[in-house]
């Protein structure tokens, strides 16, 4: 008798539990979205770098200033580079003088060539005169050989000087070109001590004070658009394949707690950030708030798909991804869209099927 009482009590408890933990699938509009953390940044924001090293002489603008393209932002000084530029200018002047000036090295070689030509002509005359005599068996063999040797030596000397002239001319011309290139390079470097803005925009940050050392590896300022901002989103790698251009974005900003903003996906960066296993995605505001600052943060949902009047079930009533408990036992269902709370039922049960929550 006690056994029947316990069994009856168990069935009552189980029946009560099933009645309290059962639901009917319900039709509703279902929106599937991907969560992403959001940060607001100015459009075209970039870090300003110098292409030369030195000492920061002056910040020519202040944080918050509006600037136009090519406007001067910072002034750097470096006496070493200026001295190098002056030395390059002197070297260029010397190279020009050596190549084309009155005291050019080539002039002295030309003088030597002129003298060698006169000597060659004289030795040539003496040689052929002695040769004609020798051909007539007049004169001695020693005289003939001497004239011939002097002629050959003069000829070789003239050729050597002519080769020396052409070689020296090429060397001086090359040295002149090198000096011109060095001076041009040093002149460009001197001009680069003034850092200019690349865009029309706003100065958002200055990282150095006058007197500090400037290198080419450290940013000096941050400049971006003054009026146009973008939404930077970090999307988990498991969701990135669902993201495509022009998808709608619903944004909540911490600075505007009671407001919801809308945007659209405008850019997807293909490289994953290995540190946090996320991808960066950019979105544009449909209607931008009047006041925005770089770094404002919030949360966003990227709308993947949306359906109206679909049969849905709370996720808590589904186990193993596609199984539900009904009056007919465990049934496998086919699911579709899903969000944080609900999932679409495509087949397996109807809107009249009670589904029980499983422990």
């Amino acid at each position: 008798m006690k056994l029947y009482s316990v069994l009856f009590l168990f069935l009552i408890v189980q029946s009560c539990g099933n009645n309290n933990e059962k639901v009917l699938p319900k039709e509703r509009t279902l929106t599937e979205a991907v969560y992403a953390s959001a940060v607001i940044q100015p459009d075209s924001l970039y870090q300003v770098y110098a292409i030369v090293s030195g000492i920061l002489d002056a910040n020519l603008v202040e944080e918050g200033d509006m600037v136009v393209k090519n406007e001067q932002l910072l002034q750097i000084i470096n006496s070493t580079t200026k001295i190098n530029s002056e030395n390059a200018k002197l070297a260029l002047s010397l190279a020009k003088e050596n190549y084309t000036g009155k005291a050019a090295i080539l002039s002295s070689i030309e003088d030597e060539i002129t003298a060698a030509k006169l000597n060659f002509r004289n030795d040539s005359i003496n040689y052929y005169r002695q040769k004609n005599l020798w051909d007539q068996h007049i004169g001695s063999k020693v005289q003939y050989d001497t004239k011939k040797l002097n002629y050959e030596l003069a000829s070789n000397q003239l050729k050597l000087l002519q080769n020396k002239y052409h070689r020296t001319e090429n060397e001086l011309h090359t040295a002149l070109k090198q000096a011109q290139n060095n001076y041009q390079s040093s002149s460009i470097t001197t001009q680069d001590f003034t850092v200019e803005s690349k865009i029309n925009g706003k100065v958002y940050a200055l990282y150095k004070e006058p007197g500090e050392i400037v290198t080419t590896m450290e940013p000096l300022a941050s400049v971006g658009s003054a009026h146009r901002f973008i939404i930077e989103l970090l999307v988990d790698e498991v969701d990135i394949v669902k993201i495509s251009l022009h998808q709608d974005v619903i944004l909540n900003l911490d600075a505007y707690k009671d407001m919801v903003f809308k945007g659209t996906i405008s850019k997807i960066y293909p490289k994953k950030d290995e540190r946090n296993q996320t991808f960066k995605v950019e979105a544009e505001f449909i209607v931008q708030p009047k006041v925005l600052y770089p770094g404002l943060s919030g949360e966003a949902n990227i709308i993947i798909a949306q359906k109206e009047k679909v049969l849905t079930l709370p996720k808590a009533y589904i186990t193993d991804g596609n199984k539900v408990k009904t009056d007919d036992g465990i049934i496998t269902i086919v699911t579709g869209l899903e969000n944080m709370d609900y999932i679409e039922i495509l087949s397996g049960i109807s809107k009249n099927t009670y589904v029980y929550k499983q422990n």
Side-chain angles (χ1 to χ4, degrees), residues 91-101 104-106 109 164-182:
L92 176 60
S93 298
L94 179 61
K96 285 182 178 179
E97 180 67 21
N98 288 337
Y99 185 64
T100 61
I105 298 175
L106 293 177
I109 301 178
K164 179 182 178 182
Y165 179 87
H166 293 303
R167 183 175 66 254
T168 304
E169 183 181 35
N170 290 334
E171 290 175 352
L172 292 175
H173 185 261
T174 300
L176 177 60
K177 286 293 185 182
Q178 290 175 339
Q180 289 173 335
N181 292 338
N182 290 337

Side-chain angles (χ1 to χ4, degrees), residues 41-46 66 199-202 204 223-229 294:
Q41 295 290 8
D43 190 26
S44 303
L45 182 69
Y46 77 99
M66 305 293 289
I199 63 171
N200 298 328
K202 185 176 184 179
Y204 286 98
V223 177
S225 174
H227 306 293
R228 189 169 182 271
F229 288 78

Side-chain angles (χ1 to χ4, degrees), residues 229-233 247 249 263-267 281-285:
F229 288 78
I230 60 173
I231 310 165
E232 287 189 358
L233 305 170
Q247 288 176 333
V249 177
T264 56
I265 299 297
S266 58
K267 186 174 183 179
V281 177
E282 286 185 2
E284 298 177 349
F285 283 100

